[in-house]
């Protein structure tokens, strides 16, 4: 890839969100350039949250109107009108459950994507901070060794070579080279401010993201639990459970619209940044880093000159010159001044370590490392981060729809339960087909004194074991019918009504009458 700018391609969803209408609280359109410190731009993001708040108010108003109509309108009592309503409640509960499951799945995916994007951002910031810290450490260490260690050795050598003017002149030349190296290192940007800013941004971002991820995880679990308990309450027809879930459903509905507004505002603001991130970065770093350096690291193009090439080249040449001078002194001065060997070897070791630091510094200042961190951060924010926020917006919308359907179904189910209880209380207890009367008859202790219409031995299967009761021609009242039916199982559907009062055996036993002679 020829350039880093070609590697970063703005995704279509950030372009779409960037073109959202940006309107302040005075309903005036403003520029959609990312300006987080501008009051009008902040109002445009707050306006998106107000739109979500308006949607919440409209949703609650529709629910209030629906509940008012449900309470004021009377239902028909016919059986034909009951079945469709029960079916409507059932399908509403099924729809709410399915929508909630889909919303929770989408929410988990969006939460994970957003977390991955923010993690990639913080990881890149920490890497860049480590790179800048390494540069600052190398520059500080090299300057310290040149100022303290080299000057100490040169001062002792100056005393040793006091009688040789040419050697003293060589030492002065080396001091000039050391001052030149320090000058070039001082010309490098002070990365301390940038390092502190990156570390603070990364720490704050990671801290906020952790609590955001945790809150969304709890919200997803609460949504799923509320939906399951609401369906359980509808199935068990538990009034207290339905009432509790209705209260929590309203709270969850408010949270869904609130999260929708926050996610939408965050997604639009992040998309504005992703539209043209270099301008914002240039405006934030112009106080301590030059624009040419920022461009060098953001684009990392071969056509751009390395702003550190000249000072690094001078640094390298100065070290090479000093090493040549030390080699000459070791070769010619040590035989004459043996005590100078220790200081000359110390200077040589210092120059070797400085050269190693130079190579490390050259590698760290190369644009490829920081440019990779920059691109990874942009991909994490503009791709995974914004995409995850869009999925979270979808989750909030689906959750709001699901809980709206649930809040519409619970009052209707409540009213159906009230109608069933009222119809149950209106049944005549003396009605023989009333299940309550059958239970009362089966639990009446006076029924134990009633005699059986037939008795037969379980061990004898012949007809002689059956004793025909004395027939009685009486008009059995309905209470006697209920007592007899209660005695034989309490279910009048399986009794032959004309046989009541005639001493007939149970239907399960076949009785054959004795043959009579007419002679």
């Amino acid at each position: 890839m020829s350039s880093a700018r070609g590697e970063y391609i703005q995704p279509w969803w950030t372009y779409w969100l960037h073109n959202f209408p940006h309107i302040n609280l005075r309903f005036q359109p403003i520029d959609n350039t990312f300006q987080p410190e501008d009051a009008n731009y902040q109002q445009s993001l707050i306006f998106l949250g107000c739109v979500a708040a308006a949607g919440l108010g409209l949703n609650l108003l529709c629910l209030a109107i629906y509940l008012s109509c449900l309470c004021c309108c009377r239902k028909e009592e016919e059986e034909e009108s009951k079945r469709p309503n029960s079916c409507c409640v059932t399908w509403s509960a099924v729809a709410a459950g399915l929508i909630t499951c889909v919303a929770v799945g989408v929410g988990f995916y969006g939460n994970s994507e957003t977390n991955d994007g923010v993690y990639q951002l913080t990881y890149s910031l920490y890497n860049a901070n480590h790179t800048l810290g390494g540069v600052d450490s190398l520059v500080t260490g090299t300057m310290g060794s040149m100022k303290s260690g080299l000057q100490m050795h040169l001062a002792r050598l100056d005393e040793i070579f006091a009688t040789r003017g040419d050697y003293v002149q060589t030492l002065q030349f080396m001091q000039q080279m050391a001052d030149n190296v320090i000058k070039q290192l001082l010309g490098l940007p002070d990365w301390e401010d940038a390092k502190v800013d990156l570390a603070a941004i990364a720490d704050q971002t990671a801290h906020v993201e952790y609590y955001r991820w945790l809150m969304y995880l709890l919200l997803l679990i609460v949504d799923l639990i509320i939906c399951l308990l609401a369906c359980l309450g509808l199935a068990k027809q538990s009034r207290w459970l339905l009432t509790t879930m209705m209260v929590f459903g309203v709270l969850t509905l408010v949270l869904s619209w609130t999260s929708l507004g926050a996610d939408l505002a965050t997604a639009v603001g992040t998309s504005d940044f992703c539209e043209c991130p270099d301008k914002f970065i240039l405006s934030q770093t112009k106080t301590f880093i030059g624009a040419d350096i920022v461009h060098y690291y953001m684009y990392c193009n071969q056509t751009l000159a390395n702003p550190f090439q000249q000072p690094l080249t001078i640094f390298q040449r100065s070290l090479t010159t000093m090493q040549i001078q030390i080699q000459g002194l070791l070769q010619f001065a040590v035989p004459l001044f043996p005590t100078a060997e220790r200081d000359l070897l110390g200077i040589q070791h210092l120059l070797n370590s400085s050269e190693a630091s130079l190579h490390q510094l050259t590698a760290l200042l190369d644009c490829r490392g920081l440019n990779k961190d920059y691109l990874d951060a942009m991909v994490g924010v503009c791709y995974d981060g914004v995409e995850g926020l869009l999925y979270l917006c979808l989750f909030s919308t689906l959750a709001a729809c699901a809980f709206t359907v649930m809040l519409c179904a619970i009052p209707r189910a409540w009213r159906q339960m009230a109608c069933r209880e009222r119809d149950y209380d209106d049944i005549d207890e003396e009605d023989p087909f009333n299940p309550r009367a059958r239970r009362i008859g089966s639990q009446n202790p006076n029924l134990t004194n009633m005699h059986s219409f037939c008795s037969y031995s379980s061990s004898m299967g012949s007809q002689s074991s059956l004793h025909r009761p004395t027939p009685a021609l009486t008009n059995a009242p309905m209470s006697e019918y209920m007592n007899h039916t209660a005695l034989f199982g309490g279910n009048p559907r399986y009794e032959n009504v004309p046989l009541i009062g005639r001493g007939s055996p149970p239907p399960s036993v076949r009785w054959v009458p004795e043959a009579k002679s007419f002679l």
Side-chain angles (χ1 to χ4, degrees), residues 316-327:
Q316 176 68 45
R317 291 176 179 175
S318 300
L319 288 178
T320 303
T321 303
M322 294 170 68
Q323 287 175 347
I324 294 174
Q325 298 297 325
I326 291 295
Q327 289 292 336

Side-chain angles (χ1 to χ4, degrees), residues 15-180:
Y15 177 78
W16 176 63
L17 291 172
H18 175 68
N19 290 326
F20 258 38
H22 289 62
I23 302 174
N24 59 13
L25 297 180
R26 294 184 297 273
F27 299 97
Q28 297 175 352
I30 64 171
D31 187 18
N32 57 1
T33 304
F34 184 68
Q35 299 173 352
E37 298 177 356
D38 185 63
N40 287 327
Y41 184 81
Q42 295 175 359
Q43 292 180 9
S44 67
L45 298 181
I46 296 174
F47 181 81
L48 296 176
C50 294
V51 171
L56 172 62
L58 183 61
N59 192 354
L60 294 177
L61 179 62
C62 293
L63 282 175
I65 294 174
Y66 171 79
L67 294 178
S68 301
C69 295
L70 187 64
C71 294
C72 296
C73 298
R74 293 184 174 274
K75 297 181 179 180
E76 297 181 357
E77 301 293 336
E78 289 78 9
E79 188 67 21
E80 292 81 8
S81 64
K82 292 180 181 179
R83 292 182 179 178
N85 293 334
S86 177
C87 183
C88 179
V89 172
T90 302
W91 282 109
S92 297
V94 171
L98 291 177
I99 296 175
T100 302
C101 292
V102 174
V104 169
V106 172
F108 271 111
Y109 179 77
N111 196 30
S112 177
E113 283 291 305
T114 304
N115 184 258
D116 291 342
V118 176
Y119 173 78
Q120 191 170 355
L121 169 65
T122 56
Y123 184 77
S124 301
L125 290 176
Y126 283 129
N127 277 345
N129 183 71
H130 178 72
T131 300
L132 297 180
V135 171
D136 187 69
S137 176
L138 290 173
V139 171
T140 304
T142 304
M143 290 177 61
S145 63
M146 287 291 177
K147 288 181 179 179
S148 61
L150 184 61
Q151 288 181 358
M152 181 182 63
H153 290 296
L154 291 177
R156 285 201 294 260
L157 289 174
D158 188 64
E159 294 177 359
I160 296 173
F161 297 149
T163 58
R164 294 291 301 266
D166 53 346
Y167 292 162
V168 173
Q169 188 176 4
T170 302
L171 295 178
Q172 293 177 356
F173 179 75
M174 292 178 62
Q175 183 63 49
Q176 293 178 358
M177 292 294 100
D179 293 340
N180 195 16

Side-chain angles (χ1 to χ4, degrees), residues 188-239:
L188 295 177
D190 186 8
W191 301 103
E192 187 64 27
D193 295 338
K195 183 180 68 173
V196 172
D197 288 344
L198 291 179
I201 293 173
D203 292 338
Q204 186 177 4
T205 303
H207 182 74
V208 172
E209 170 59 20
Y210 172 75
Y211 287 103
R212 186 211 62 81
W213 175 84
L214 184 61
M215 287 190 296
Y216 262 102
L217 184 63
L218 294 177
L219 180 60
L220 292 167
I221 296 174
V222 167
D223 285 358
L224 190 60
I225 291 176
I226 291 176
C227 182
L228 292 177
L229 291 179
C231 293
L232 180 62
L234 290 174
K236 296 293 185 180
Q237 296 184 357
S238 174
R239 287 192 170 186

Side-chain angles (χ1 to χ4, degrees), residues 6-17:
E7 293 179 3
Y8 170 68
I9 301 176
Q10 180 187 3
W12 63 267
W13 50 83
T14 59
Y15 177 78
W16 176 63
L17 291 172

Side-chain angles (χ1 to χ4, degrees), residues 258-302:
T258 303
S259 63
L260 177 61
D263 292 335
L264 183 59
T266 306
V268 172
T270 308
S271 299
D272 293 338
F273 168 75
C274 296
E275 173 68 20
C276 193
D278 50 356
K279 291 183 179 180
F280 177 75
I281 295 176
L282 285 172
S283 64
Q284 296 296 315
T285 57
K286 63 183 180 180
T287 57
F288 53 89
I289 300 178
D292 57 338
I293 299 176
V294 177
H295 277 94
Y296 172 70
Y297 285 116
M298 284 196 303
Y299 301 114
C300 195
N301 199 327
Q302 296 179 357

